[in-house]
């Protein structure tokens, strides 16, 4: 075992990369849940985003178009969830599961001819001077643009929820949909937009895995990241910056266990590989006593009687 | 303008009819999907739904119906109890894997002894493995209020890693020339979950599934605990006032689901699968969720739904080898079924009326 082979700068830089898919998906789901909707289909939307982004990138040669396609793919899949929960008033837990099961099958069907291909790479940020700074250069200024988009999105969602009228209406719909309806807000319309935003974010997160983090397409490659993102929203108490913190914590766990695997620690690989899931459970246990941040109408079906 | 009017009582007729309509709708849109993949849709649908039952080789496929259906029904019965009470155990796949690992482990500890008590001990081990895995989310929910959906699902990934670990280490066949995977239980009489009548597909898992169905039926219709489960799901507030103990209900529902999923895993590993390997699980734990809903969370419905789902597995395999239909297409097909079911459920709970638009 050789722990000195682990370079702290690379470790932090790759931690940020590992955290970004979780962060993107979690920020999207946070907005959805703030609007009072529980969409358990994150994993499904991520994997569909992963393959649509991958396919379009390979076909067009442009990662930018790929990421756009992944957001559209995720949002389109979330429309199925909209149909089930907002139009057909179906149970949200069951509908989310359906979305995930369908998404996993659909993505492997779409991805059959893309196995083993290497996608064109997205360029990294390279600011003359700043990127070359020792230590902080590669950590702060040496990433791909989507990573910064994730952080910008966190800030934007935070500001939107806290300071704008739109954010206030969104929260009102999530806290008490009957009252919001009585005030004349279009509960269903607002929720549909929130769900589609969540789908687009999950799609981006999925494409980040298939285009930047891995970068390759394999069936079921999201491997539970969508579910970890769902857990993250709970233990971030529905607060965007805490979601960022949590995502980095998870990115850290993932990267450290991968580094330990590579360094040949005496712990079997399988036990290291299960650590992110075990840590999710442990953190959930510690933080799930405080449910004060949960939107009051979360998961409840809204049916306007008049 | 179309308006939805909530029915005072869910419609009995629609409740029975929606699964059938959902299957028909899935056949139609599945056909569209197969056509998009360049296959003859009618031929593909016939291959999936007709060939296994009445085709040329149906003598081979019909027993398969029991073999594939039994684990689905076993797991779905357990899940349906929880789903009825609003307890969402979606980690049955993990409980299935753990049941298989513990059950096979118990058996392999006796190798190469031949004794009548080995198989019963393995069954107990399988039930225990699934139960203990389901108790983790149950106890965490009761004690700390942790979300059982996320915990049970995370444990699926943990169980998959465990499976990889034991098939490469603890349970690896010492005479397996270094290949991952345990000894083959089929070639060891004391541990083999053999067919009870040769060629019938009837093994102990099928028998257990039938017993579970009867038990669940009696429990839900004739027993206080079953009444409490239904009450909690349909009217949580009323259940609270009636003095239903939610902790007991959570422990029971998750525990029962774990036991049944664990048993399904054991019967599979000791019978049709034969050995513990890295990928011996094929997602029955997730498909069983569809079976539970398609069966309307009702024991008898689940048996029928399990049959339909088993049919799509077998027919899917045939379509894969005969028509070159990708296996993922069947997965999409199964997912579609759940979609249509959930969407059509609208008709059970609401009446659709045409009304002129009024002011306020």
């Amino acid at each position: 075992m050789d722990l000195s082979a682990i370079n702290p700068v690379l470790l932090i830089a790759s931690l940020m990369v590992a955290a970004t898919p979780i962060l993107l998906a979690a920020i999207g789901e946070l907005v959805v849940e703030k609007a009072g909707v529980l969409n358990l289909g994150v994993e499904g939307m991520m994997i569909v985003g992963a393959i649509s982004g991958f396919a379009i990138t390979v076909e067009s040669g442009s990662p930018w178009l790929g990421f756009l396609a992944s957001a559209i793919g995720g949002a389109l899949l979330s429309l199925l969830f909209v149909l089930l929960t907002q139009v057909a008033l179906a149970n949200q837990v069951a509908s989310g599961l359906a979305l995930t099961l369908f998404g996993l099958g659909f993505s492997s069907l779409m991805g059959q001819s893309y196995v083993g291909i290497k996608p064109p790479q997205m360029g990294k940020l390279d600011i003359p001077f700043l990127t070359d700074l020792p230590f902080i250069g590669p950590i702060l200024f040496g990433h791909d643009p989507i990573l910064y988009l994730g952080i910008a999105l966190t800030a934007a969602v935070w500001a939107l929820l806290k300071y704008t009228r739109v954010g206030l209406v969104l929260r009102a719909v999530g806290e008490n949909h009957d009252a919001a309806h009585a005030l004349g807000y279009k509960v269903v319309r607002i929720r549909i937009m929130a769900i589609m935003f969540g789908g687009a974010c999950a799609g981006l997160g999925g494409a980040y895995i298939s285009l930047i983090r891995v970068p390759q397409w394999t069936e079921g490659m999201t491997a539970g990241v969508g579910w970890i993102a769902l857990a993250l929203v709970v233990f971030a108490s529905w607060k965007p910056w805490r979601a960022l913190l949590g995502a980095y914590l998870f990115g850290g766990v993932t990267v450290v266990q991968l580094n330990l695997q590579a360094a040949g620690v005496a712990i079997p690989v399988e036990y290291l590989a299960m650590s992110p899931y075990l840590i999710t459970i442990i953190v959930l246990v510690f933080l799930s006593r405080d449910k004060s941040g949960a939107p009051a109408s979360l998961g409840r079906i809204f049916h306007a009687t008049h | 303008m179309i308006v939805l009017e909530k029915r005072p009582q869910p419609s009995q007729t629609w409740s029975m009819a929606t699964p059938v309509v959902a299957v028909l709708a899935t056949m139609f849109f599945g056909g569209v999907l197969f056509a998009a993949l360049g296959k003859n849709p009618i031929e593909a649908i016939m291959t999936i739904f007709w060939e296994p039952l009445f085709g040329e080789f149906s003598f081979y496929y019909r027993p398969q119906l029991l073999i594939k259906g039994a684990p689905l029904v076993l797991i779905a019965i357990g899940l349906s109890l929880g789903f009825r009470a609003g307890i969402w155990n979606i980690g049955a796949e993990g409980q299935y894997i753990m049941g298989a690992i513990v059950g096979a482990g118990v058996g392999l500890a006796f190798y190469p002894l031949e004794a009548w008590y080995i198989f019963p001990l393995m069954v107990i081990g399988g039930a225990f493995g699934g139960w203990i895995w389901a108790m983790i989310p149950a106890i965490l929910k009761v004690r700390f209020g942790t979300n059982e959906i996320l915990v049970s699902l995370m444990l699926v990934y943990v169980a998959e890693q465990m499976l990889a670990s034991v098939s490469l280490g603890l349970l690896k066949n010492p005479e397996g020339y270094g290949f991952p995977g345990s000894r083959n239980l089929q070639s060891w009489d004391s541990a083999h979950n053999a067919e009870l009548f040769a060629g019938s597909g009837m093994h102990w898992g099928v028998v257990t599934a039938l017993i579970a169905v009867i038990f669940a039926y009696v429990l839900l219709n004739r027993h206080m605990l079953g009444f409490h489960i239904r009450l909690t799901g349909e009217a949580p507030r009323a259940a609270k006032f009636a003095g239903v103990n939610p902790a007991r209900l959570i422990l029971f529902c998750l525990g029962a689901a774990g036991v049944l999923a664990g048993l399904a895993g054991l019967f599979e590993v000791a019978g049709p699968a034969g050995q513990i390997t890295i990928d011996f699980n094929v997602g029955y734990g997730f498909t069983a969720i569809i079976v539970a809903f398609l069966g309307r969370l009702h024991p008898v419905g689940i048996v029928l739904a399990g049959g339909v789902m088993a049919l799509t597995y077998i027919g899917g395999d045939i379509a894969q080898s005969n028509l070159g239909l990708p296996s993922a297409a069947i997965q999409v097909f199964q997912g579609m079924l759940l979609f249509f079911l959930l969407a059509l459920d609208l008709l059970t709970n609401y009446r659709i009326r045409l009304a002129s638009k009024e002011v306020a």
Side-chain angles (χ1 to χ4, degrees):
Chain A
M1 163 166 110
D2 184 16
L3 287 178
S4 62
I6 299 174
N7 174 341
V9 177
L10 277 182
L11 193 75
I12 296 175
S14 54
L15 169 164
M16 294 172 77
V17 172
T20 301
I22 313 177
L23 176 67
L24 282 166
I27 286 295
E29 180 65 16
L30 191 144
V31 171
V32 179
E33 293 194 12
K34 271 287 180 191
V37 179
L38 180 66
N39 184 355
L40 291 181
V42 181
E43 180 85 3
M45 300 185 297
M46 280 189 95
I47 192 93
V48 167
I51 185 57
S52 22
F54 191 89
I56 296 297
T57 305
V58 169
E59 299 302 336
S60 72
S62 157
W64 285 101
L65 273 181
F67 274 105
L68 183 68
S70 73
I72 295 173
L76 280 180
L77 190 65
S78 76
L79 269 183
L80 283 176
F81 183 81
V82 165
L83 272 179
L84 288 181
T85 60
Q86 303 304 307
V87 180
L89 306 177
N91 178 304
Q92 295 182 359
V93 174
S95 306
L97 286 175
L99 206 62
T100 293
L101 292 174
F102 179 79
L104 286 171
F106 188 66
S107 63
S108 50
L109 189 62
M110 285 207 304
Q112 281 180 331
S113 48
Y114 292 98
V115 178
I117 298 179
K118 215 153 174 53
Q121 284 296 292
M122 186 176 241
K124 294 206 165 153
L125 197 64
D126 189 12
I127 309 169
F129 186 62
L130 284 179
T131 309
D132 303 327
L133 282 174
F135 196 70
I136 57 165
I139 293 174
L140 290 182
F141 304 107
H143 293 291
D144 55 274
I146 305 296
L147 188 143
Y148 300 104
L149 175 73
I151 299 170
L153 217 52
T154 312
V157 165
W158 168 75
L160 181 96
L161 289 175
K162 199 170 163 78
Y163 294 115
T164 68
R165 193 180 158 73
V166 176
L168 191 66
V169 173
L170 186 91
R171 285 188 291 153
V173 167
E175 290 298 336
N176 190 335
H177 49 215
D178 293 318
H181 175 70
L183 285 172
Y185 295 122
K186 305 284 184 199
V187 174
V188 172
R189 195 174 301 167
I190 290 163
R191 285 188 168 166
I192 290 175
M193 286 192 287
I195 293 169
M196 288 180 70
F197 174 77
C201 285
L204 280 178
Y208 195 87
I209 299 179
S210 67
L211 287 176
I212 292 176
R213 202 171 155 221
V214 175
Q216 217 184 35
W217 165 254
T218 44
E219 264 181 40
M221 69 182 310
T222 45
V225 170
W227 295 102
I228 292 182
L230 273 163
L232 193 61
V233 178
V234 178
F235 58 70
S237 303
W238 293 267
K239 293 189 175 78
W241 290 116
R242 280 214 218 170
L244 181 84
L245 196 73
Y248 279 23
L249 180 79
F250 273 94
V253 172
T254 315
V255 169
V256 167
Q257 65 95 357
L258 284 175
N259 270 288
L260 289 177
Q261 282 185 26
V265 177
I267 309 168
V269 174
E270 293 82 21
Y271 292 93
L272 286 172
M274 66 175 75
S275 59
Y277 309 110
L278 287 176
I279 287 175
T280 307
I281 295 175
I282 293 167
V283 181
L284 266 179
V285 167
F286 275 105
L287 293 174
S288 53
R289 288 217 147 159
D290 172 32
K291 288 217 169 58
S292 52
S297 291
L298 187 61
R300 280 172 45 209
I301 296 169
F302 172 71
H303 176 229
T305 41
H306 49 261
Chain B
M1 199 197 152
I2 299 167
V3 287
L4 297 175
E5 189 182 295
K6 192 156 175 75
R7 293 178 195 269
Q9 289 277 309
S11 154
Q12 280 285 321
T13 331
W14 273 113
S15 176
M16 303 276 240
T18 40
V20 180
V21 181
V23 171
L24 292 176
T26 311
M27 280 188 187
F28 178 77
F29 285 96
V32 173
L33 172 79
F34 300 150
L37 290 169
K39 313 287 173 211
N40 180 346
I42 294 171
E43 196 187 351
I45 295 292
M46 284 288 279
T47 308
I48 294 171
F49 288 96
W50 184 267
E51 203 70 23
L53 289 177
F54 309 107
E56 197 183 336
F57 298 102
S58 59
F59 61 88
Y60 171 75
Y61 294 123
R62 278 186 208 158
Q64 286 288 320
L65 214 55
L66 290 180
I67 291 174
K68 303 257 196 244
L72 289 174
V73 171
L74 258 178
I75 302 170
I77 287 284
L79 293 180
S80 71
L81 297 178
F83 289 177
R84 280 203 172 214
I87 298 160
W88 300 96
N89 169 18
I90 58 171
E93 185 75 5
Q95 294 142 24
Y96 174 86
I97 294 173
M98 290 314 279
I101 294 178
V102 176
V106 166
L108 288 167
F110 290 98
Y111 188 86
L113 185 73
E114 294 281 359
W116 61 268
Y117 52 80
I118 292 178
F119 190 67
L121 280 178
M122 286 169 69
V123 172
I124 294 169
F128 179 77
W131 179 78
I132 206 86
W133 214 239
M135 272 301 113
I136 301 172
I139 289 170
L140 291 181
K141 187 175 173 71
V142 169
R143 188 82 182 73
F144 303 103
T146 315
N147 184 318
E148 80 280 13
I149 301 177
L150 294 171
V151 175
S152 63
L153 197 100
M154 287 295 140
L155 288 172
V156 174
Y157 293 99
V158 177
E160 281 177 352
Q161 294 298 332
M162 288 274 203
L163 180 64
S165 168
V166 297
S167 35
L168 295 167
L170 193 61
L171 298 182
K172 193 168 137 183
N173 183 357
E175 292 149 22
Y177 305 104
F179 284 106
S182 72
R183 284 180 197 279
N184 196 323
L185 298 172
Q186 285 174 348
S187 48
W188 175 27
D189 287 339
S190 295
H192 186 197
N193 171 26
E195 283 176 313
L196 299 173
F197 311 100
S200 65
M202 186 89 165
H203 61 67
W204 283 111
V206 182
V207 177
T208 315
L210 290 177
I211 295 172
V213 168
I214 295 165
F215 260 89
Y217 186 85
V218 173
L219 177 78
L220 288 170
N221 292 294
R222 294 277 180 275
H223 197 276
M224 196 61 183
L225 185 62
F227 174 68
H228 282 170
I229 289 174
R230 281 165 41 206
L231 187 63
T232 308
E234 282 160 33
R237 263 174 68 81
K240 219 171 178 177
F241 288 121
V244 174
N245 180 349
R248 236 186 73 192
L249 215 58
I250 292 166
L251 291 173
F252 174 78
C253 288
L254 275 163
V259 165
L260 293 178
L263 284 173
L266 178 270
F267 289 128
E268 186 71 16
V269 80
Q275 61 173 154
I276 292 271
T277 49
I278 289 182
D279 51 2
F280 107 94
N281 59 317
V282 288
Y284 283 146
F286 292 114
T287 315
I289 296 173
I290 307 181
V291 172
F293 281 113
L294 187 64
R296 311 251 56 152
L297 307 181
H298 186 283
V300 178
I302 287 172
V303 174
L304 298 174
V308 172
M309 265 341 226
L311 203 56
T312 64
Y313 268 115
I314 302 162
D317 281 347
I318 305 174
Q320 202 180 337
S321 52
N322 289 4
L323 308 175
L325 196 72
S327 63
I330 293 302
Q331 224 182 325
V332 174
F333 194 77
Q334 293 173 343
M336 245 185 216
L337 188 54
L338 187 51
F339 267 126
F340 284 115
L341 190 75
L342 291 170
L344 287 166
D345 233 4
L346 180 72
L347 302 170
T348 310
N349 294 314
Y350 294 86
R351 205 173 266 135
I352 295 177
R353 283 271 166 84
L354 287 169
S356 56
K357 190 158 188 165
E358 313 165 52
V359 179

